[in-house]
Amino acid sequence: MAVEPASKRRRLSPSKEGNGPVPGFAKWDLEQEYQQRRQKKEKSKNDKLLVRTEKGWEEHERLNESHARNASPQDDEDSMLASGDDEDSGVADLQHPAISEKPALPLKEQIRLAKEDLARIAGHISESPEENIAQLRQLAQIGESENVTITKLAMGTQLAVFKDIVPGYRIRPLSKDDLQAKVSKDVKQLRTFEQTLLAGYKDYVHVLSKLCGNQHLSGVAINCVATLLTSLPHFNCRNDLIAVIVQKLGSRTLAPEAPRCLSALEQLFQEDEEGHASLEVVSQLTKMMKGKDYHIHESVLNVFLHLRLLSEFIHKASTTGVDKDEEPSQMPKKLSKKDREFRTKRERKLVKERKQVEKEMKEADAVVSYEERDKNQAETLKLVFVAYFRILKARVQHLMGAVLEGLAKYSHLINQDLFGDILEVLRDLITEARISLEAGEEDDNEELANTATRRNIQRETLLCIITAFALLQGQLDVAKSASSLHLDLNFFITQLYRTILPIGLDPDIELSAKTAHLQDPNGLATPLAQGAKVNVATTTVLLLRSLQSVLLPPTATKSVPPVRLAAHTKQLMTAALHLPAKSAAAILALLQQITKVHCGKVASLWCTEERRGDGVFDALSEEVESSNPFAATIWEGEVLKMHFDPKVREMVGKMEANIKEARK
C-alpha cells in the first residue's frame, strides 16, 4: 500500500534566525522597517559641529543651529512631552508665536486683490447669469471684510450686478405646491435662477439697511438704496428700501444723506406711472410724521409737491373720499341705410369678432393702467390731505408755510365740503400770527421777539391769502361756487391791505426763505429765520400773487369794487418809493395792468381837479372802505419818473398812458 506524501505546513511565524522577511510570509513588519530606517538616517546626521584642532577634526559640544531651526513640530512636541516641564514650554509658546503663519498683506495689495476678485466674479455673473448666479454669495462674502474700502467696493459691485441681471418683473416666492409639482428642465432652471437671485437681493437689501447706521458706510449705503429704489422700483423688497429712506428723514435736523433721499423720492414720484410706489411712499411718510408728532424738517413735507397727481388727477377729494364725475354715455350715431357700406354676412361676422378682440385688448391695456392709477392717486391724495389738516389742527409752526403752499397747489383737487373748515383755519392762523407779532413788538422779552421774527409773520399772512383765493379759483365756475358756498373773503382782503406798507419796508423782500443772508457786522439786522417756511418764492412774488388774486381775478371786471382798487393802488404806489428796483418794477407792472383793465375806476386818482372824495386819506386805516382813497392823489408817479432804473421809468410812463387813454 502506497504511502501518501505528507502535506507541507505553512510557516505562520517569522524565522528567528534573522530579521529578513520569510518567503511566502506576509510583510507584517513594514512599518517597523520604515521606522528603523528613519532612525538610522537621523542618527547618521551629524548633530555636532566639527572643529579643527591639533589632533585633527573633532566634534564640538554645541548643537547645530540649522538642525534646531529645521526641527519638525512633531519633534518639538515629543521633546516637550519627554521633558515634563509643561509650564516653561507654555510660556515659550506664548512668547514665540508660530512661524508658519503667513505675514499680512499690505493694505494696497489687499484692495488690489479684492478689485480683481470683484471684477472677475461680476464679469462671470453678467456674462451668464443663470449659470453663475450662485457666485452672488462670493460677492457678499467679500463685502464682509473689515476693510472699509473693500466693503464699499463690494457694495458698489453688487449694485451694478443687480441692476444688470434683475428682470423686469417681480419674482413670486414658490409655494409648497410649486415645489412638489413636476416641471420641465428649463422651468426648473429658471426657478432656481429666480429664487437664488431673490435670496441674494434680499440679503443685499438687509445688509444695506444695517450699514445705514454705520458712521463710515452710511453714505455709500444710502446711495445704493436710493439707486435701487429709482432703478428697480418694480422689483421685490421695495417696501424695505422705502423704509430705509423714510427712517433717514425722520428728524427735525436733516442728516447729510437726506438730500440724496429726497431727490430719490422726487424722482420716484415723477417716474411712477401706475401710482403703486407713490402710494407706498406717502403711506410710510405720513405714518412716520404722525409717530414723530410732526417734528420733521419742512423739506420732507414739500416732497408731496412732486406727485404726478397734481397734473394727472382730475377728481375732487377730501380726507375721507373722492368725488368722481359721471361719464356721459357716448353712443355712436346710427348711419342711415344709404350711408351704410354693403357687407356680406360673413364680413359682418368678421368685423364683429375683430371689434370684440380690439375691445378686449383695450380693456387689457387701458383698464388696468388708468383705473388702477386713478385708484392709487385717489388714496394718495387722501393721505396727503389728512397730513395737511392734522398739521393745521396741531398748529405746528415750523410746518405752517409748507402746508399752506401745499394746499394752494392742491386747491383744484379739494372738495367743496372742506372749504369752510379750511377758511376758518386760515383766519385763525392770520389772527394768531398778528397777535404774536404785536406781542413781540410791545414786549421787551427777547425770546418772544425772536419767536415772532423766526415765524416770519408777513410771509405766513401772504400764504394764507394765496391759499384762500386759490381754493375759490380752483373751481370750474368761480362765481357760482362763491355764491353757493357763501364764501366771505373780505377778511383776507383787509389783511392784504394792512400788509402792503410793512412789506414795503422789509429789507429782505427780494430774498427767498432759502437764500443765504449775510450777517450785519454791527449786529443791527434781524437774524435770519432758520427753518423758514417757503422754498424758493420771495416775498415780492408772494405779494404779487396775492394782489393778482384780489385785484385781477379771473371773473368779470365788475366784481372788483372801485374803493378796493383805489385803496390798493394808492398803497402800492407809496410802497414803490421804498422798494428795491426789481420789486418796484414788478409792482408798477401790476399797476399798469390794473390801469388797463380798470382804467375808469382809478383814473380820478391822477387828476387833482376831479376829486371824487371828501375829507382826508387815511393810509394807516385797518379797513379798506374807511381809508377814503378817492380823497388822495397819485403824486408818487412824479417822483418815480426820476428813478435811476429805466424799467421803473418805463412802467410809470405806460401807466400814465393808460390813464390818458381812459380820459379820452
Side-chain angles (χ1 to χ4, degrees), residues 402-423:
V403 171
L404 293 174
E405 188 173 359
L407 289 176
K409 290 280 187 180
Y410 289 104
S411 59
H412 64 286
L413 301 176
I414 299 178
N415 194 328
Q416 294 182 358
D417 298 337
L418 298 176
F419 281 7
D421 298 335
I422 295 176
L423 292 179

Side-chain angles (χ1 to χ4, degrees), residues 581-602:
K582 293 182 180 180
S583 299
I587 293 296
L588 293 175
L590 177 65
L591 290 175
Q592 188 265 338
Q593 296 180 6
I594 293 174
T595 55
K596 184 177 182 180
V597 177
H598 306 283
C599 54
K601 298 180 180 179
V602 297

Side-chain angles (χ1 to χ4, degrees), residues 99-115:
I99 303 177
S100 60
E101 294 182 359
K102 295 182 179 179
L105 295 176
L107 182 59
K108 292 184 178 180
E109 185 67 16
Q110 294 180 14
I111 296 174
R112 186 186 66 80
L113 295 176
K115 287 181 179 180

Side-chain angles (χ1 to χ4, degrees), residues 354-372:
R354 191 179 296 111
K355 288 183 178 179
Q356 184 66 23
V357 173
E358 291 177 357
K359 183 179 179 181
E360 293 177 356
M361 293 295 294
K362 288 181 179 180
E363 290 178 355
D365 294 338
V367 172
V368 175
S369 60
Y370 289 105
E371 290 186 0
E372 286 292 329

Side-chain angles (χ1 to χ4, degrees), residues 272-315:
D272 185 19
E273 297 182 356
E274 296 181 356
H276 293 287
S278 300
L279 179 59
E280 293 176 2
V281 172
V282 174
S283 177
Q284 293 196 27
L285 279 177
T286 52
K287 288 181 181 179
M288 180 269 294
M289 293 176 186
K290 185 178 179 182
K292 297 287 185 179
D293 199 14
Y294 300 101
H295 292 293
I296 59 172
H297 197 267
E298 63 168 358
S299 59
V300 180
L301 197 63
N302 290 328
V303 176
F304 293 158
L305 301 179
H306 297 272
L307 290 168
R308 293 184 62 169
L309 53 90
L310 272 173
S311 58
E312 295 180 354
F313 198 66
I314 59 175
H315 305 296

Side-chain angles (χ1 to χ4, degrees), residues 441-452:
E441 291 177 354
E442 295 176 359
D443 197 350
D444 295 334
N445 189 357
E446 295 183 359
E447 183 178 358
L448 191 59
N450 291 336
T451 303

Side-chain angles (χ1 to χ4, degrees), residues 651-663:
M651 291 301 170
V652 173
K654 290 182 179 180
M655 187 168 48
E656 292 184 352
N658 293 333
I659 298 298
K660 291 180 181 179
E661 291 180 1
R663 291 177 179 177

